[in-house]
């Protein structure tokens, strides 16, 4: 009997009906929703006259389109206000728990799921947002879906999905001390490209991932979608169990022991075969930054931007970024620094930034925004005194939301300005029309804010 | 959902790789709570200058009647926003041709009656070079360059083909299996 991969085990155990000539009918344990991709799905089931099948398995928050200042006031912009109000009305009508603005549990959907203990190993989790892959850090199958699929889950707690192939990305060896989880994933995307994982579900394995905290693992799995993969997962271990225990929705007492015993079985069997395996040496990874307009266009900060290669899309990207081939980005002046998003807005990220900027001031040419991922993180930061450190360093500590990661609200980087950002996408105009994004770790972003130009954080890390 | 069987149409060529859903429909236009009206902001920042004038160099402003968009490798990468598929269909596209599609976009397109046709890199280049009308035949799973007669087969799951040809959607199918879902829950949840 051949062994099974963790992905196969979880997928197969959630198939309600196997599709012989098409997709499988996959049961969904947890459905997360937000204001932007849910309204049309609510109207959809209403139009069909179908009730929300399992409202208790659905959790809502407002994050994509909320302001990050003065959240206690009504939202100024009319369309945004209407979108957030629609979510509230829909949740009330259909019996869905909503952690909306003003709720102490509100925050970015992929931050609050794990933080509240909603995300657990072995689950299937979906959300109308591509970065749902974040939850795979707990050894779950988590992936982003479109609004028609949100409607499917509303109506039946299932989605129709063709089973992706499995890929294992192994990174073993010793990581350089300055390397963060963000550098690992940016490195992998630069090696494998933004379509290298398309058609696959990835399992990240090896000592480089085992050594990461849950926050770090979430950063890695978060950007699986930037590899083109449907999702990414890391097998749960003691780090995972310790993170979950005691959280609001975590199993308690006898139930905890039962679950824990199950979670400990969630590993890829030794004899199991993946459809594809790629391996990297941890020692080759260094602090990374992107120079182009897709997340695969990344380099080690110490390296030069690649030469032109005759590819039109590559040339267009450099023209948009106004970055020259064969030059170093080190020392390049920057206008904005954004620390936030479902990739890097957790308490560990805020601590890492605070450690670097403590007792220092940001450069005069920099506007520095730091946006905690949730109300709980904001509260924790205040409890630890990080707010004072950040504000004294000249950072604007804003209120939780997706903010300048996708710039749906007012948090926009102006046209032509450069932003070193801890978010996940550097597409043209992603942070505002004409904005130029360079993706990096919170450490690199913090060091850059202090110097005013692209800076490797190593000098601040002792 | 509208039925799809066969289409003959001029193409709108977009010979760029990695066209992401933020380009197809920028986030600032996702504030609507309905599915309609996204076409006017399709490729907004490529179609219009920042002053709101038409960018005459952009393919969509040069060719106005094509119902087939032809784009480079890895079309639809990035955000899962189904608004990208809604914007393309609302604008009038019925088929998107590329040598590679991002997974979530492909699913979203199929759920909205927009047919993603994956062709080989060579065939894609032939389409760009010919700039001819295309014939897309879903029943036979073929795509033909009318000017040259070159033809290629394309893949689609039998289930999705059935849905498109008959204008059915996934929810009808799922709802018809509710008993199985309840049985699954009894044994597993």
């Amino acid at each position: 009997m051949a062994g099974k991969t963790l992905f196969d085990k979880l997928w197969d155990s959630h198939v309600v009906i196997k599709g012989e000539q098409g997709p499988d009918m996959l049961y969904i344990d947890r459905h997360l929703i937000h204001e932007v991709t849910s309204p049309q799905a609510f109207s959809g089931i209403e139009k069909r006259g179908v009730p929300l099948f399992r409202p208790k398995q659905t959790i809502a928050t407002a994050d994509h389109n909320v302001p990050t200042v003065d959240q206690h006031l009504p939202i100024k912009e009319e369309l945004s206000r209407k979108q957030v109000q629609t979510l509230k009305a829909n949740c009330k009508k259909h019996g869905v728990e909503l952690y909306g603005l003003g709720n102490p549990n509100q925050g970015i959907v992929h931050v609050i799921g794990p933080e509240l203990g909603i995300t657990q190993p072995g689950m299937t989790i979906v959300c109308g947002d591509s970065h749902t892959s974040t939850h795979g850090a707990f050894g779950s199958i988590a992936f982003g879906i479109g609004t028609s699929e949100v409607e499917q889950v509303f109506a039946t707690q299932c989605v129709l999905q063709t089973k992706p192939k499995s890929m294992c990305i192994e990174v073993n060896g010793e990581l350089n001390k300055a390397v963060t989880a963000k550098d690992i994933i940016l490195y992998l995307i630069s090696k494998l490209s933004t379509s290298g994982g398309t058609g696959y579900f990835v399992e990240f394995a090896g000592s480089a991932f085992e050594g990461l905290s849950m926050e770090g693992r979430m950063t890695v799995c978060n950007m699986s979608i930037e590899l083109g993969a449907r999702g990414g997962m890391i097998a749960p271990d003691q780090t995972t169990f310790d993170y979950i225990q005691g959280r609001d929705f975590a199993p308690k007492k006898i139930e905890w022991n039962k679950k824990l015993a199950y979670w400990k079985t969630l590993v890829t069997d030794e004899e199991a075969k993946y459809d594809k395996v790629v391996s990297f040496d941890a020692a080759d990874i260094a602090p990374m930054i992107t120079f182009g307009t897709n997340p695969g266009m990344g380099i080690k900060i110490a390296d030069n931007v690649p030469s032109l290669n005759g590819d039109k899309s590559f040339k267009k990207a450099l023209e948009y970024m106004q970055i020259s081939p064969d030059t170093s980005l080190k020392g390049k002046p920057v206008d904005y620094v954004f620390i936030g998003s479902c990739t890097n807005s957790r308490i560990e990220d805020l601590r890492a930034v605070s450690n670097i900027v403590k007792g220092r001031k940001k450069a005069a040419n920099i506007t520095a925004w730091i946006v905690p991922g949730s109300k709980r993180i904001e509260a924790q930061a205040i409890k630890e005194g990080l707010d004072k450190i950040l504000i004294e360093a000249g950072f604007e500590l804003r209120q939780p939301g997706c903010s300048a990661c996708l710039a749906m609200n007012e948090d926009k980087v102006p046209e032509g300005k450069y932003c070193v950002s801890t978010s996940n996408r550097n597409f043209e105009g992603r942070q505002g029309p004409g904005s130029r994004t360079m993706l990096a770790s919170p450490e690199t972003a913090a060091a850059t804010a202090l110097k005013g130009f692209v800076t490797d954080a190593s000098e601040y890390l002792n | 959902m509208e039925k799809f069987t066969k289409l003959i149409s001029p193409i709108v060529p977009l010979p760029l790789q990695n066209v992401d859903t933020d380009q197809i429909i920028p986030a600032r236009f996702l504030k609507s709570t309905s599915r309609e009206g996204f076409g006017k902001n399709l490729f907004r920042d490529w179609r219009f200058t920042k002053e709101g004038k038409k960018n005459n160099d952009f393919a969509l402003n040069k060719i106005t009647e094509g119902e087939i968009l032809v784009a480079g490798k890895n079309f639809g990468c990035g955000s899962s926003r189904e608004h990208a598929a809604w914007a393309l269909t609302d604008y009038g596209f019925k088929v998107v041709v590329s040598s590679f599609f991002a997974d979530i976009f492909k699913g979203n397109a199929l759920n909205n009656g927009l047919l993603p046709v994956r062709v080989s890199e060579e065939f894609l280049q032939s389409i760009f070079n010919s700039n001819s009308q295309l014939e897309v035949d879903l029943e036979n799973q073929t795509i033909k360059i009318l000017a040259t007669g070159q033809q290629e087969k394309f893949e689609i799951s039998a289930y999705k083909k059935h849905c498109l040809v008959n204008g059915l959607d996934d929810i009808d199918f799922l709802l018809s299996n509710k008993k199985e879902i309840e049985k699954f829950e009894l044994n597993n949840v």
Side-chain angles (χ1 to χ4, degrees), chain A residues 4-311:
Chain A
K4 275 181 137 184
T5 63
L6 172 57
F7 172 69
D8 280 341
K9 287 181 190 177
L10 295 183
W11 184 279
D12 295 349
S13 69
H14 284 83
V15 170
V16 177
I17 298 175
K18 184 138 192 60
E20 295 307 334
Q21 283 249 297
D24 291 340
M25 201 165 139
L26 192 71
Y27 190 82
I28 300 305
D29 295 315
R30 293 287 178 278
H31 187 197
L32 307 169
I33 63 168
H34 61 84
E35 73 277 26
V36 179
T37 58
S38 68
Q40 297 87 349
F42 277 114
S43 337
I45 54 165
E46 285 173 10
K47 219 161 108 188
R48 284 170 204 268
V50 173
L52 208 162
F53 185 52
R54 294 290 178 250
K56 296 279 173 273
Q57 284 164 248
T58 307
I59 295 99
T61 190
D63 58 358
H64 279 63
N65 193 12
V66 299
T68 56
V69 290
D70 294 333
Q71 286 183 347
H72 61 290
L73 299 176
I75 300 175
K76 279 189 215 143
E77 213 255 331
E78 193 193 331
L79 285 174
S80 305
R81 188 171 66 245
K82 189 179 163 220
Q83 206 171 42
V84 172
Q85 281 170 347
T86 303
L87 178 72
K88 199 172 171 183
N90 279 330
C91 287
K92 196 169 169 208
K93 192 164 162 192
H94 294 274
V96 172
E97 181 82 42
L98 166 68
Y99 301 128
L101 281 185
N103 188 298
N105 292 338
Q106 180 266 340
I108 302 175
V109 64
H110 310 309
V111 173
I112 68 166
E115 177 176 83
L116 296 171
I118 294 166
T119 303
Q120 294 169 20
M123 285 180 166
T124 47
I125 302 171
V126 294
C127 172
D129 185 280
S130 60
H131 290 107
T132 308
S133 57
T134 311
H135 308 265
F138 291 79
S140 58
I141 290 186
F143 55 90
I145 55 176
T147 298
S148 293
E149 292 164 317
V150 171
E151 192 180 331
Q152 293 175 24
V153 184
F154 279 170
T156 66
Q157 204 59 34
C158 288
V159 278
L160 283 178
Q161 291 287 305
T162 304
K163 187 178 179 182
K165 289 181 280 186
S166 63
M167 182 194 293
C168 179
I169 299 181
E170 282 180 329
V171 184
N172 281 303
E174 195 150 341
L175 286 170
N176 178 315
K177 274 204 187 81
V179 169
T180 67
K182 184 64 165 285
D183 298 312
I184 300 176
I185 189 66
L186 284 175
Y187 171 88
L188 293 173
I189 303 166
S190 77
K191 292 286 178 192
L192 297 168
S193 91
T194 54
S195 58
T198 306
Y200 290 92
F201 202 100
V202 171
E203 182 176 345
F204 297 99
S207 60
F209 305 110
E210 285 159 18
L212 293 177
S213 65
M214 285 318 294
E215 281 85 350
R217 294 178 191 185
M218 284 190 256
T219 300
V220 169
C221 291
N222 173 275
M223 290 188 75
S224 309
I225 183 72
E226 274 67 48
L227 280 166
R230 210 54 225 278
M233 62 179 7
I234 295 174
D237 59 12
Q238 198 56 46
T239 306
T240 322
F241 311 143
D242 291 345
Y243 178 97
I244 299 170
Q245 195 164 23
R247 292 184 186 266
D248 298 53
F249 290 88
K252 307 269 157 31
K253 296 176 183 168
I254 300 172
E255 190 58 21
W256 169 263
N257 291 329
K258 251 169 69 183
K259 285 277 190 214
L260 189 62
Y262 165 61
W263 294 344
K264 286 183 173 170
T265 68
L266 299 178
V267 290
T268 290
D269 298 332
E270 252 172 64
E271 329 78 87
K273 287 251 184 305
Y274 297 93
D275 294 307
K276 189 173 180 179
V277 178
V278 287
S279 303
F280 296 93
D281 179 1
D284 187 45
I285 308 175
M288 298 284 296
I289 192 158
T290 64
F291 60 88
T293 56
N294 77 56
M297 302 176 86
I299 49 172
K300 294 176 184 171
I301 298 178
D303 288 351
N304 280 353
V305 174
S307 310
L308 291 179
N309 54 11
D311 173 16

Side-chain angles (χ1 to χ4, degrees), chain B residues 70-86:
Chain B
V70 185
K73 190 183 157 195
N74 201 24
F75 185 82
C77 61
S79 158
S80 61
R81 61 188 70 162
E82 194 162 316
H83 312 66
W86 299 336

Side-chain angles (χ1 to χ4, degrees), chain A residues 13-17 21-23 25 27 36-37 39-40 48 50 53-54 65 77 79-80 82-83 86 128-130 144-149 151-152 155-156 158 160 194-195 198-199 225 228 230 294 311 313 316 406 408 415 425 427-428 430 433, chain B residues 15-18 20-23 27-28 30-35 38 45-46 50 73-74 77-83 86 100-104 107-108 111-112 157-160 169-175 177-178 180-182 184-185 188-189:
Chain A
S13 69
H14 284 83
V15 170
V16 177
I17 298 175
Q21 283 249 297
M25 201 165 139
Y27 190 82
V36 179
T37 58
Q40 297 87 349
R48 284 170 204 268
V50 173
F53 185 52
R54 294 290 178 250
N65 193 12
E77 213 255 331
L79 285 174
S80 305
K82 189 179 163 220
Q83 206 171 42
T86 303
D129 185 280
S130 60
I145 55 176
T147 298
S148 293
E149 292 164 317
E151 192 180 331
Q152 293 175 24
T156 66
C158 288
L160 283 178
T194 54
S195 58
T198 306
I225 183 72
R230 210 54 225 278
N294 77 56
D311 173 16
S313 306
K316 184 174 187 287
L406 84 165
M408 245 191 110
E415 189 189 349
R425 288 184 176 138
F427 299 147
E428 282 186 29
R430 171 79 177 184
Chain B
L16 288 171
Q17 296 180 9
N18 302 313
D20 59 79
T21 53
D22 271 86
Q23 306 318 315
R28 63 188 190 279
L30 305 184
K31 296 182 182 183
S32 166
T33 54
S34 82
R35 284 172 183 248
F38 290 100
D45 294 335
W46 287 350
K50 59 181 182 222
K73 190 183 157 195
N74 201 24
C77 61
S79 158
S80 61
R81 61 188 70 162
E82 194 162 316
H83 312 66
W86 299 336
F100 201 87
F101 289 96
D103 283 332
I104 303 180
N108 288 340
N111 281 337
N112 287 280
S157 90
Y159 167 78
K160 276 295 172 191
D169 71 25
D170 288 349
I171 300 185
D172 300 324
F173 174 78
L174 286 167
L175 285 169
N177 286 295
K178 219 148 180 188
E180 293 296 319
I181 301 169
E182 280 164 349
F184 177 91
E185 286 182 324
N188 294 281
V189 182

